[in-house]
Amino acid sequence: MIFAKKLFLSSVFAVGAFGLIACGSDSKSSSEPDPNNPDNPIVVPTQQDANITVSNDLSSRLSGDDMRFKGRFGLDITVDTAETRDQIQFTGITYTVGKGTDPNNLLPVNVTITSNQILFPSPNDIDLNSMNSAGVMVNMKDPGFTGCGAYSLIVTVTASDDPIGAPAKFSNTVTIPFVRDSLLYCYVEEQNPEPEPQVNEIPMTTCTVDLSTDINPGLSLATCTAVPAASAATADIIFAKAGTKSEPEIAASSGSGTVFAPISNGDLPPYADDYEVDIWPEEQNDGRTVAYVSDFMFKTTGPTLSSMVENSSQIYVAMTPAYNAATGAGFYAFAITNYTEGNNGNFSFTVKLYKVQ
């Protein structure tokens, strides 16, 4: 599924399906303050062309020490009556970091903004979060930061229906607020701080298994194996087709008393590292190569899961009746990493499973 020239961006159903070409990494600096007028606010572009659509999920989150940004830009050809409207393409994207959240009073901050280089012109959606697209990040330890508090990432996207002759005919600018946490980056420790208690982390291993809602709908958590339909009624996780004919879905339940919950790290202390598909805890730049039970925080568990296609970036936890909080026994985390829709609303898909070593 590649969304190009669409009416508007939809749900997370499309995560991972964008076709922008990312060629390596492109690190660039935010606008440098004018040495003669260091307190002059950034002039934020006000042009807002309807030809460039913006998703309604603009946000930021901390992953390790990197602030990552969420939001997608698309192209809407229906608002342009010109004969060349079918030729509209993105022609560029720029980023700036400013201090504060008021678009009319953002002071420039000289920090490095890391992003993937995108080849323009391009008709494909721009996804700020995806490493297959823009992949924008700002490191909170960048020496260009002079304090903590509220900041904003300013993103300007341009497009044209004549990409060669008029590279910036259309433009749209958004500001995405983020916070540089004072406890993490501006806290001065006492001269004789109390030693931090040792946390007994429980490591987890990973495996993958191919499943389907019709042929192999069951998953055995302990063995990380598929359970065929004939035996799936007692499986730890039973995946089934759901939704409607026009909008098919995947749901999950259990035949062994297992309960489920989506992870919600960002809603629980320390309010960071809300991992998702392709942003796995063992792949972050924090000096480790394994995930821990503590990486998967959750609130209330329940007997079923729904809308797993719409929420295809979500990671879930599964807890069997044998769950032991002290040892991690009976605790699992899993996610659907890719899926293919088949006949009659069925799906074939791959599950990545975390279990205690």
Side-chain angles (χ1 to χ4, degrees):
M1 293 179 290
I2 296 180
F3 294 86
K5 303 181 181 178
K6 60 184 182 173
L7 296 183
F8 197 76
L9 297 159
S10 58
S11 69
V12 292
F13 182 87
V15 172
F18 300 100
L20 280 173
I21 302 174
C23 298
S25 178
D26 181 19
S27 296
K28 56 193 74 177
S29 294
S30 174
S31 295
E32 297 186 8
D34 183 343
N36 297 317
N37 298 285
D39 295 327
N40 277 0
I42 298 170
V43 178
V44 178
T46 57
Q47 184 175 348
Q48 300 287 323
D49 291 307
N51 305 77
I52 301 175
T53 62
V54 184
S55 63
N56 59 6
D57 59 350
L58 296 175
S59 60
S60 60
R61 66 177 187 82
L62 191 65
S63 177
D65 289 316
D66 291 322
M67 189 64 66
R68 298 176 62 92
F69 300 90
K70 188 174 184 179
R72 296 186 297 279
F73 296 87
L75 296 172
D76 185 350
I77 66 173
T78 64
V79 299
D80 195 342
T81 59
E83 293 182 0
T84 57
R85 66 182 186 177
D86 289 338
Q87 301 176 25
I88 187 170
Q89 297 189 62
F90 287 112
T91 56
I93 184 168
T94 61
Y95 314 97
T96 306
V97 169
K99 183 72 171 72
T101 57
D102 181 356
N104 298 314
N105 190 29
L106 295 174
L107 298 179
V109 181
N110 186 21
V111 296
T112 297
I113 302 169
T114 301
S115 65
N116 292 330
Q117 181 180 358
I118 300 173
L119 296 183
F120 294 110
S122 170
N124 299 314
D125 290 355
I126 300 176
D127 184 357
L128 298 179
N129 182 57
S130 173
M131 296 309 294
N132 294 320
S133 185
V136 185
M137 293 183 289
V138 178
N139 190 279
M140 293 296 96
K141 290 185 176 180
D142 191 296
F145 284 111
T146 58
C148 289
Y151 290 84
S152 293
L153 178 74
I154 307 160
V155 185
T156 297
V157 176
T158 58
S160 176
D161 55 8
D162 181 11
I164 304 301
K169 183 175 181 179
F170 310 113
S171 177
N172 205 332
T173 298
V174 299
T175 58
I176 306 176
F178 65 94
V179 175
R180 189 167 186 254
D181 193 294
S182 59
L183 292 178
L184 295 175
Y185 302 106
C186 297
Y187 177 70
V188 178
E189 292 190 22
E190 299 177 0
Q191 292 185 347
N192 297 306
E194 292 291 330
E196 294 185 3
Q198 294 294 319
V199 177
N200 182 27
E201 296 284 13
I202 304 173
M204 307 186 80
T205 59
T206 63
C207 60
T208 59
V209 57
D210 293 327
L211 303 168
S212 59
T213 54
D214 51 352
I215 299 174
N216 291 305
L219 173 59
S220 170
L221 294 172
T223 61
C224 191
T225 56
V227 180
S231 308
T234 58
D236 296 314
I237 305 179
I238 307 167
F239 295 94
K241 66 179 183 180
T244 64
K245 184 177 181 180
S246 60
E247 295 183 357
E249 265 291 352
I250 299 176
S253 60
S254 176
S256 65
T258 297
V259 292
F260 311 100
I263 69 167
S264 52
N265 296 16
D267 299 330
L268 298 167
Y271 307 105
D273 297 328
D274 198 3
Y275 302 113
E276 60 186 50
V277 170
D278 291 330
I279 305 178
W280 309 109
E282 72 274 16
E283 296 178 0
Q284 304 307 302
N285 297 322
D286 58 0
R288 61 184 168 111
T289 58
V290 298
Y292 301 114
V293 169
S294 61
D295 289 324
F296 304 105
M297 304 176 68
F298 61 94
K299 293 181 179 178
T300 305
T301 59
T304 61
L305 294 171
S306 61
S307 302
M308 300 183 77
V309 170
E310 179 181 355
N311 300 301
S312 58
S313 63
Q314 180 70 54
I315 300 175
Y316 303 92
V317 299
M319 299 165 59
T320 72
Y323 170 63
N324 184 313
T327 65
F331 181 90
Y332 302 84
F334 70 97
I336 295 176
T337 58
N338 58 68
Y339 56 87
T340 302
E341 183 180 347
N343 296 325
N344 301 318
N346 285 296
F347 286 88
S348 298
F349 52 95
T350 300
V351 167
K352 180 176 181 179
L353 177 67
Y354 291 81
K355 60 180 182 175
V356 175
Q357 294 181 359

